[in-house]
Amino acid sequence: MSDDNPSAISHVSIGSNRFELARDFYDAVLATLGVRRLMEHAGAAAYGKVYPEFWLQTPIDGAPASVGNGSHVGFLAASRAQVDAFYAAAVAAGARGDGPPGPRPHYGAPYYGCFVRDLDGHKIEASFWDEALASAATPGD
Protein backbone atom coordinates (compact mmCIF):
# COMPACT_ATOMS: atom_id res chain seq x y z
CA MET A 1 0.00 0.00 0.00
CA SER A 2 1.14 3.51 -0.67
CA ASP A 3 1.86 6.19 1.89
CA ASP A 4 -1.13 8.21 0.66
CA ASN A 5 -3.63 5.69 2.08
CA PRO A 6 -5.47 7.55 4.86
CA SER A 7 -6.33 4.41 6.83
CA ALA A 8 -4.63 3.60 10.13
CA ILE A 9 -5.80 -0.03 10.01
CA SER A 10 -4.26 -2.71 7.82
CA HIS A 11 -7.12 -5.19 8.23
CA VAL A 12 -9.61 -6.72 10.64
CA SER A 13 -10.31 -10.45 11.00
CA ILE A 14 -13.29 -12.18 12.55
CA GLY A 15 -13.87 -15.87 13.13
CA SER A 16 -16.76 -18.01 12.01
CA ASN A 17 -18.07 -21.41 13.02
CA ARG A 18 -20.06 -21.65 9.78
CA PHE A 19 -17.51 -20.42 7.26
CA GLU A 20 -19.31 -21.22 3.99
CA LEU A 21 -22.60 -19.68 5.17
CA ALA A 22 -20.78 -16.66 6.59
CA ARG A 23 -18.76 -16.21 3.37
CA ASP A 24 -21.97 -16.23 1.33
CA PHE A 25 -23.52 -13.75 3.81
CA TYR A 26 -20.60 -11.32 3.47
CA ASP A 27 -20.51 -11.73 -0.33
CA ALA A 28 -24.12 -10.49 -0.47
CA VAL A 29 -24.02 -7.85 2.25
CA LEU A 30 -20.70 -6.18 1.43
CA ALA A 31 -21.62 -5.99 -2.26
CA THR A 32 -24.13 -3.28 -1.28
CA LEU A 33 -21.13 -1.11 -0.37
CA GLY A 34 -19.05 -1.90 -3.45
CA VAL A 35 -16.87 -4.31 -1.45
CA ARG A 36 -16.03 -7.70 -2.94
CA ARG A 37 -14.19 -10.88 -2.05
CA LEU A 38 -10.63 -10.34 -3.26
CA MET A 39 -9.07 -13.64 -2.25
CA GLU A 40 -9.86 -16.91 -0.58
CA HIS A 41 -7.84 -19.67 1.06
CA ALA A 42 -9.06 -22.81 2.81
CA GLY A 43 -11.26 -21.49 5.62
CA ALA A 44 -10.49 -17.80 4.95
CA ALA A 45 -11.89 -15.09 2.69
CA ALA A 46 -10.66 -11.52 2.29
CA TYR A 47 -12.82 -8.54 1.29
CA GLY A 48 -12.09 -5.01 0.17
CA LYS A 49 -12.38 -2.52 -2.67
CA VAL A 50 -8.70 -2.50 -3.63
CA TYR A 51 -6.86 -4.63 -1.08
CA PRO A 52 -7.93 -7.11 1.64
CA GLU A 53 -9.15 -5.07 4.60
CA PHE A 54 -11.67 -7.45 6.15
CA TRP A 55 -11.01 -11.15 6.70
CA LEU A 56 -13.47 -13.88 7.61
CA GLN A 57 -11.94 -17.15 8.75
CA THR A 58 -12.20 -20.26 10.80
CA PRO A 59 -9.98 -19.76 13.84
CA ILE A 60 -6.42 -20.88 13.13
CA ASP A 61 -6.07 -22.48 16.58
CA GLY A 62 -8.96 -24.85 15.83
CA ALA A 63 -11.02 -23.63 18.80
CA PRO A 64 -14.57 -22.36 18.19
CA ALA A 65 -14.96 -18.75 17.08
CA SER A 66 -16.49 -16.44 19.66
CA VAL A 67 -17.94 -12.93 19.64
CA GLY A 68 -16.09 -10.05 21.27
CA ASN A 69 -18.27 -8.20 23.76
CA GLY A 70 -17.97 -4.48 23.09
CA SER A 71 -16.34 -4.87 19.67
CA HIS A 72 -17.74 -4.37 16.20
CA VAL A 73 -16.60 -3.78 12.65
CA GLY A 74 -17.80 -0.63 10.88
CA PHE A 75 -17.96 -0.44 7.09
CA LEU A 76 -18.04 2.85 5.17
CA ALA A 77 -21.03 3.62 2.98
CA ALA A 78 -21.04 6.25 0.22
CA SER A 79 -24.66 7.27 0.85
CA ARG A 80 -27.68 6.82 3.08
CA ALA A 81 -29.12 4.54 0.38
CA GLN A 82 -26.10 2.23 0.73
CA VAL A 83 -26.65 2.06 4.50
CA ASP A 84 -30.29 1.16 3.90
CA ALA A 85 -29.31 -1.48 1.31
CA PHE A 86 -26.66 -2.96 3.63
CA TYR A 87 -29.22 -3.35 6.42
CA ALA A 88 -31.87 -4.84 4.14
CA ALA A 89 -29.41 -7.30 2.57
CA ALA A 90 -28.03 -8.34 5.96
CA VAL A 91 -31.45 -9.01 7.47
CA ALA A 92 -32.57 -10.85 4.31
CA ALA A 93 -29.42 -13.01 4.55
CA GLY A 94 -30.15 -13.99 8.15
CA ALA A 95 -28.63 -11.23 10.29
CA ARG A 96 -30.43 -9.95 13.37
CA GLY A 97 -31.10 -6.22 13.38
CA ASP A 98 -29.28 -4.38 16.16
CA GLY A 99 -30.18 -0.80 15.24
CA PRO A 100 -32.04 0.10 12.02
CA PRO A 101 -30.75 2.70 9.56
CA GLY A 102 -31.07 6.26 10.74
CA PRO A 103 -29.31 9.27 12.18
CA ARG A 104 -27.54 8.93 15.52
CA PRO A 105 -27.21 12.58 16.67
CA HIS A 106 -25.04 11.52 19.61
CA TYR A 107 -22.41 10.39 17.03
CA GLY A 108 -22.63 13.78 15.29
CA ALA A 109 -25.19 15.42 13.02
CA PRO A 110 -23.57 14.05 9.81
CA TYR A 111 -23.76 10.39 10.96
CA TYR A 112 -26.27 7.97 9.40
CA GLY A 113 -25.85 4.27 10.05
CA CYS A 114 -27.16 0.87 11.06
CA PHE A 115 -26.07 -2.14 13.09
CA VAL A 116 -26.70 -5.87 12.66
CA ARG A 117 -25.48 -9.12 14.20
CA ASP A 118 -24.07 -11.46 11.55
CA LEU A 119 -24.66 -15.22 11.43
CA ASP A 120 -22.07 -15.82 14.19
CA GLY A 121 -23.31 -12.92 16.33
CA HIS A 122 -20.58 -10.41 15.42
CA LYS A 123 -21.81 -6.81 15.48
CA ILE A 124 -21.26 -5.06 12.16
CA GLU A 125 -22.17 -1.55 11.08
CA ALA A 126 -22.54 0.47 7.91
CA SER A 127 -22.28 4.22 8.24
CA PHE A 128 -22.33 7.30 6.04
CA TRP A 129 -20.82 10.61 7.13
CA ASP A 130 -22.69 13.39 5.29
CA GLU A 131 -20.06 16.06 4.58
CA ALA A 132 -22.78 18.53 3.54
CA LEU A 133 -24.27 18.31 7.03
CA ALA A 134 -20.80 18.50 8.56
CA SER A 135 -20.06 21.72 6.65
CA ALA A 136 -23.44 23.21 7.60
CA ALA A 137 -22.74 22.46 11.27
CA THR A 138 -19.40 24.29 11.20
CA PRO A 139 -19.99 28.02 11.81
CA GLY A 140 -17.71 30.69 10.39
CA ASP A 141 -16.76 28.96 7.13
Side-chain angles (χ1 to χ4, degrees), residues 67-73 117 123:
V67 176
N69 185 24
S71 63
H72 76 274
V73 177
R117 296 284 177 163
K123 187 174 187 175

Side-chain angles (χ1 to χ4, degrees), residues 58-93:
T58 57
I60 293 173
D61 66 4
S66 60
V67 176
N69 185 24
S71 63
H72 76 274
V73 177
F75 295 98
L76 288 173
S79 66
R80 288 177 176 228
Q82 277 193 344
V83 171
D84 295 344
F86 175 95
Y87 188 84
V91 171

